[in-house]
Every structure is written in C-alpha cells, then in structure tokens.
Amino acid sequence: MAPGGIGTVLERIHAAEAPDLADLEFVLRIADPVELSSLFHFADAVRHESVGDGVLLRGIVEFSNICRNTCRYCGLNRRNTRLERYRLTRDQILAAVRNIREAGIKTVVLQSGEEDNLDADWLTEVIAAIGRSVDAAVTLCVGERSREEYRAWKLAGADRYLLKIETSDPGLYRELHPGMSFENRTRCLEDLAALGYQTGSGNLVGLKGQTVESLAGDLRFFQRGRFDMISVSPFIPHSQTPLAGEPAGDLMMTLKMIALTRIVCPKAHIPASTAIGSLHGRDERPRALAAGANVIMPNFTPHLVRRLYDIYPGKTACDLSPEQRLAAVEQMAAAMGRWVDYARGDAL
Ligand code: SAM
C-alpha cells in the first residue's frame, strides 16, 4: 500500500512531475466511500482552480460511419455488415455547423470512422468552407492519417485534433486493434502536436484484458503527452463486435480515472462523455462534472443518420431538439453551481 492516507497520496500525485505508478494504482483501487469522496473533492478543487466553473460546449457532427478498421469494441468496425453506411455531403455538414453556431456554440467537432476513401482534399475544402461561413474553432477526429494530410487540414483552418490512444498498453492495444499499430498511433499524436494542433487523446475504461496497472499507465501517458484535451469514457459492449458478451466498463472506475486525469493534467479540457451519459440508461454526466470534467459535447448530427453512427448502443438524447438538449445542459450545470461557458475554450 502507498504510504500516507488518501490526502497525502493525492497531494503527492498532484505535485509529482511523473506520478508514481504505485500511488496511481492505490487510488484506482480505493473502494471506501469516504476515500472516494476525498478523491472527487480533491479533483473538483483542482478543476475549479485550473479551468474554473464554466462548462464548455463542443458541437459534434458525425459525418461518416464508414471505417476500414476492425477495432474489437466498436460498432463501426468494417465487419459489421448489418450497419448501413453513410457519409454526409459538404452542404449537409455546413448546415449542421450553422446549427451549432446558431445554438451559440463556438467549437465544431467533425468526427468519422477511419475511411480508406476519405478524400483529404474534400475535407480540406470542407474545413475552409466552415472557416468562410462561421466563426468557430474546428476540431477534427477522423483517425490516423499522414503528416501531409494533417498539415493540409491545419493550413485550411483546423485548430484541434482528437485521437484517443484507447489504451497505452502496447500489448493490449495490439489485441484490440487487429492490423493497426500502436507506433503509428503515437506517431500521429506527435505529428499533430508538432504541427501546432491543440491535441487531444484519451482512453476507454473496462476493456477486456485491461488492468489497474494499465490504467495507471494511461494516466502517465496522458501526463507525458501534455495533451490539451483528454477523454476518458467507459467501454459499452456492442452486439455486432467480438466483445459483444463482455461487461461494460465500471462507472466508478471511470469516475476515478477522470478524477486522476484532472489531478495529473490540471489544465486539460476533460469531457463528461456521451458514453457516461449512456452507460446504464441513466445520464451520469453530472457525476463526471463533479469528478473533474469541464466539457459537454452536444450532438448535432442530422436526425436522418444519427442512429447509424452506432459506436455503442443507447447513445443519449437522440430524440431531443438542440434547444431541449442545451436547456438540459444549462440545468445540469446550474444544479451543480456551475454555468455553461459559450466561449471557444481553447487550450490553456
Ligand atoms: N476513427 C476515429 C478515431 O479512431 O479516432 C474516430 C471515431 S471513433 C468511432 C470515436 C471513439 O469512439 C473512439 O475513440 C472510441 O474511444 C469510441 N468508441 C468506440 N467504440 C466504443 C464502445 N464500444 N464503447 C465506448 N466508446 C467507444
């Protein structure tokens, strides 16, 4: 056991340049309600101090569910032949982006599966068109691409890029991502940072074969990577994947990971992810916001295709209008003594 009570251990993790793995594992194993409450209070205080009380909004447009990969947890994997595939047109994307801006949100996230046939020039043009039509930060989340493509998109006006490492354990990464390479994923993250993107990464909690040791390693990976955004979300099993019969990630472990992420990366933007809102058919995002998170990502994918972006079952709030969803977020924040921040929310 790590020496000192929970408070001492948390102080030590917070102060460390590279937190001790034994300390991180100790915290990930706590189950005592009083200790858990100390952890969440500590993380919430770090959040208040480092990024303030505003809850930032990012409007997400899932513009294609076509994917060349076979990630063993993801419903978009190319072996899921039951899934009808789509890609939005440039005009459909621009219409969704305008809806985001009309809702007052100043960050647009363009997300898709990893398409072999995604024409990099087409996406360059979409990014430039967004820049001409609205004043908003553009975040891309379209997977592993070449440095030249990342450069072209940056020049066209993209500001940020999200690429989750999913797990920082290279052996587990290989098992879960047939045909993909851990080295290429980290190469992409390095290229993105070097090109001047505000760069985000993150993991999944509860993957088959994941251990407390590998989760502690993820925290060290986040801290070493100095990421501007970090998304920690629970694995949710999807029937059309090899992990269909596996249990979902544990909510409490996910909350502990969010809290520790805030403590080791105080200035990062950390979402209360949609997966946390969908895990048990209950919206648990307030608990993530109380454990260190400071971002919510409302979905602006057109209704016509939204159910086809089927990464995991039960994505929340599918049938609400943008106004209803924003009102719900405003209420959620206010109930916690927080407020919705309509700023761009760039890296700090
Ligand atoms: N293709 C892009 C990439 O690789 O970054 C982005 C799209 S991918 C579908 C977006 C995220 O969905 C992944 O980073 C992963 O963490 C999440 N995801 C996929 N399957 C999931 C599942 N079963 N449960 C929870 N999250 C999942």
Side-chain angles (χ1 to χ4, degrees):
M1 184 175 125
I6 181 75
T8 315
V9 177
L10 294 174
E11 290 290 358
R12 198 160 55 224
I13 292 172
H14 187 40
E17 251 178 54
D20 197 48
L21 284 173
D23 279 347
L24 296 171
E25 288 165 25
F26 168 77
V27 177
L28 288 171
R29 288 199 170 94
I30 61 177
D32 174 69
V34 177
E35 289 187 331
L36 286 170
S37 157
S38 304
L39 167 64
F40 298 137
H41 276 115
F42 192 102
D44 199 43
V46 174
R47 188 269 311 149
H48 171 75
E49 184 77 10
S50 314
V51 296
D53 291 340
V55 176
L56 292 164
L57 300 180
R58 292 25 177 133
I60 182 160
V61 185
E62 298 151 335
F63 69 89
S64 162
N65 68 354
I66 303 170
C67 195
R68 63 183 166 204
N69 293 331
T70 54
C71 305
R72 291 167 64 82
Y73 45 82
C74 184
L76 302 192
N77 77 83
R78 72 158 192 268
R79 300 229 163 86
N80 182 2
T81 49
R82 294 201 184 171
L83 183 64
E84 185 189 327
R85 304 286 170 163
Y86 73 91
R87 186 194 307 130
L88 298 183
T89 63
R90 171 186 179 280
D91 288 348
Q92 286 171 316
I93 296 174
L94 286 175
V97 165
R98 275 193 295 275
N99 289 339
I100 291 174
R101 265 319 270 118
E102 276 161 24
I105 300 175
K106 298 196 189 72
T107 291
V108 170
V109 181
L110 300 183
Q111 192 182 95
S112 71
E114 212 169 283
E115 257 199 69
D116 255 342
N117 297 330
L118 177 73
D119 179 349
D121 294 338
W122 172 82
L123 187 56
T124 305
E125 167 46 25
V126 171
I127 296 163
I130 292 174
R132 287 192 297 271
S133 73
V134 297
D135 173 22
V138 175
T139 303
L140 300 178
C141 179
V142 303
E144 297 175 28
R145 308 288 298 203
S146 71
R147 189 182 177 109
E148 288 62 43
E149 289 167 328
Y150 288 153
R151 180 181 288 115
W153 296 335
K154 183 83 182 54
L155 288 173
D159 303 281
R160 311 180 188 142
Y161 205 104
L162 300 174
L163 187 72
K164 288 172 70 166
I165 193 70
E166 318 293 0
T167 171
S168 65
D169 175 337
L172 183 57
Y173 186 90
R174 260 192 301 281
E175 275 171 41
L176 293 167
H177 303 97
M180 292 170 71
S181 117
F182 185 78
E183 289 68 30
N184 193 50
R185 203 142 182 104
T186 48
R187 186 274 304 163
C188 289
L189 286 167
E190 284 161 16
D191 280 351
L192 290 162
L195 288 164
Y197 280 95
Q198 296 171 40
T199 306
S201 196
N203 72 346
L204 285 171
V205 175
L207 290 165
K208 187 179 183 207
Q210 196 174 43
T211 59
V212 160
E213 288 77 8
S214 75
L215 288 171
D218 291 353
L219 292 160
R220 288 275 288 266
F221 181 88
F222 298 158
Q223 199 238 8
R224 267 199 315 273
R226 305 173 62 87
F227 298 111
D228 302 302
M229 305 161 281
I230 302 168
S231 164
V232 171
S233 43
F235 156 70
I236 302 179
H238 186 293
S239 63
Q240 299 304 309
T241 65
L243 299 185
E246 297 301 322
D250 179 60
L251 175 65
M252 189 50 77
M253 186 57 91
T254 308
L255 295 173
K256 286 194 258 183
M257 279 296 291
I258 289 176
L260 282 167
T261 301
R262 171 59 67 204
I263 295 168
V264 300
C265 306
K267 296 259 182 210
H269 292 308
I270 301 177
S273 69
T274 311
I276 293 175
S278 315
L279 186 57
H280 297 305
R282 258 193 327 272
D283 190 352
E284 301 284 15
R285 288 178 301 175
R287 292 176 74 182
L289 289 175
N294 70 319
V295 174
I296 296 265
M297 301 178 73
N299 193 332
F300 284 78
T301 306
H303 271 280
L304 209 60
V305 295
R306 195 175 294 171
R307 71 180 171 81
L308 299 177
Y309 200 77
D310 184 24
I311 8 185
Y312 51 78
K315 278 163 75 200
T316 45
C318 269
D319 299 325
L320 301 180
S321 70
E323 294 75 23
Q324 286 169 317
R325 272 180 290 130
L326 285 195
V329 175
E330 297 259 5
Q331 258 174 21
M332 189 190 291
M336 307 178 70
R338 310 264 288 271
W339 46 281
V340 171
D341 185 348
Y342 285 90
R344 268 171 64 110
D346 281 298
L348 294 168

